[in-house]
Amino acid sequence: MNFIITESSEEMSRKAAELFAQRIRSNPNIVLGLATGGTPEKMYAELVRLHREEGLDFSRVTTYNLDEYLGIPATHDQSYRYFMNKNLFDHVNIPRENTHVLNGMAADPVKECRDYEDAIKKAGGIGLQLLGIGSNGHIAFNEPGSKADSRTGVVTLTGNTVKDNARFFEKAEDVPKQALSMGNGTIMEAKEIILIADKESKAEAILKSVEGPVTEDVPASLLQKHTNCTFILDSAAAAKLKKESGRF
Ligand code: PGA
């Protein structure tokens, strides 16, 4: 595992965007795995700036998002398709057909997930995967206890995640309780992984993921087994790791 510890959420976002930009420049046909949530918003804003001001070219890039809520349409302002359009796709020159987000309204969600796996394989696999981390150590919507080799499928959110995500909805009851999510096994097959985290609320999950045992109880700890994984953290998210591990 590699680490970049930054002073602020802004610096974390800039560093992550820089890394994505480098990989896109060196491989314009790259397949990216993308994440949603509060953490990547400023990183996407920086990628939009790099496109506008420095000509970063997305015209041959393909993307696959990690997850989507089950039962809400792409037009819903809390759907992850809506988030991606608003934060990135609407502002860069990526052909819309190159962007893939699981369909939360699919008539057959299991088939939707199977087809998504097939499509990723056909595209040659994910070249660079962006991840956030839940305060419970989840990656995508793979909650504690999900299998290390799980594939894209229908998952149930824990009470902890529903609570964490309630801030995006009017009422906690409005947060969908199920989602479609890439599996841990799917994520681990990406050639390179960047995990970003800011905020003190992530510090414990980061510590466990890095210094704790590799366990399905903390899905992000599975990343210890990945051969090309970098954590980009702000000082708040890195605080416990710095204190306990003595390596920084
Ligand atoms: P957040 O979510 O970026 O909104 O904190 C991250 C996650 O749950 O993976």
Side-chain angles (χ1 to χ4, degrees):
M1 280 173 146
N2 308 303
F3 298 92
I4 300 175
I5 314 259
T6 65
E7 285 303 314
S8 63
S9 173
E10 286 70 27
E11 196 190 346
M12 174 204 77
S13 307
R14 260 194 321 273
K15 288 269 186 234
E18 233 167 66
L19 219 141
F20 269 72
Q22 270 171 18
R23 299 295 185 272
I24 294 168
R25 288 192 187 104
S26 64
N27 176 13
N29 295 304
I30 194 164
V31 178
L32 299 177
L34 297 179
T36 51
T39 317
E41 281 182 9
K42 292 193 289 288
M43 172 192 154
Y44 290 142
E46 176 63 6
L47 283 174
V48 170
R49 190 194 69 75
L50 288 169
H51 168 68
R52 286 194 180 137
E53 295 177 16
E54 297 180 24
L56 182 63
D57 179 17
F58 287 81
S59 64
R60 288 191 282 150
V61 170
T62 298
T63 68
Y64 286 88
N65 263 76
L66 284 169
D67 44 20
E68 179 60 283
Y69 289 119
L70 183 65
I72 64 174
T75 48
H76 190 292
D77 67 1
Q78 290 309 324
S79 84
Y80 289 162
R81 162 55 78 180
Y82 188 94
F83 174 102
M84 288 311 303
N85 290 349
K86 184 174 75 150
N87 285 282
L88 184 65
F89 302 150
D90 283 349
H91 312 290
V92 297
N93 65 333
I94 189 162
R96 195 53 55 102
E97 63 272 20
N98 288 12
T99 70
H100 303 90
V101 183
L102 284 151
N103 176 8
M105 295 299 282
D108 183 344
V110 173
K111 179 175 183 301
E112 169 74 8
C113 293
R114 222 172 21 234
D115 292 349
Y116 202 71
E117 283 273 332
D118 289 346
I120 292 172
K121 265 196 204 97
K122 271 205 202 96
I126 306 281
L128 174 59
Q129 176 69 57
L130 178 68
L131 294 179
I133 183 171
S135 60
N136 63 0
H138 76 201
I139 48 176
F141 274 133
N142 297 294
E143 300 285 28
S146 34
K147 294 281 163 228
D149 61 357
S150 65
R151 311 305 306 188
T152 305
V154 179
V155 295
T156 300
L157 277 49
T158 60
N160 182 86
T161 296
V162 169
K163 196 163 115 265
D164 281 356
N165 289 2
R167 70 190 196 278
F168 297 117
F169 291 82
E170 235 168 70
K171 306 187 289 297
E173 303 88 83
D174 295 344
V175 183
K177 308 293 180 294
Q178 285 190 301
L180 312 181
S181 177
M182 273 194 208
N184 288 319
T186 320
I187 291 168
M188 287 297 281
E189 281 168 14
K191 293 176 192 74
E192 180 176 10
I193 295 178
I194 304 287
L195 182 145
I196 55 174
D198 55 9
K199 294 194 261 333
E200 202 264 326
S201 59
K202 304 294 175 70
E204 183 69 25
I206 291 291
L207 174 64
K208 284 189 186 153
S209 306
V210 177
E211 295 292 345
V214 175
T215 167
E216 290 168 346
D217 294 338
V218 183
S221 72
L222 302 170
L223 299 169
Q224 290 179 34
K225 298 224 161 169
H226 197 276
T227 52
N228 189 1
C229 177
T230 303
F231 278 32
I232 308 181
L233 309 172
D234 79 343
S235 51
K240 291 197 178 179
L241 183 61
K242 265 180 156 168
K243 192 154 163 256
E244 308 282 329
S245 78
R247 14 178 183 172
F248 303 102

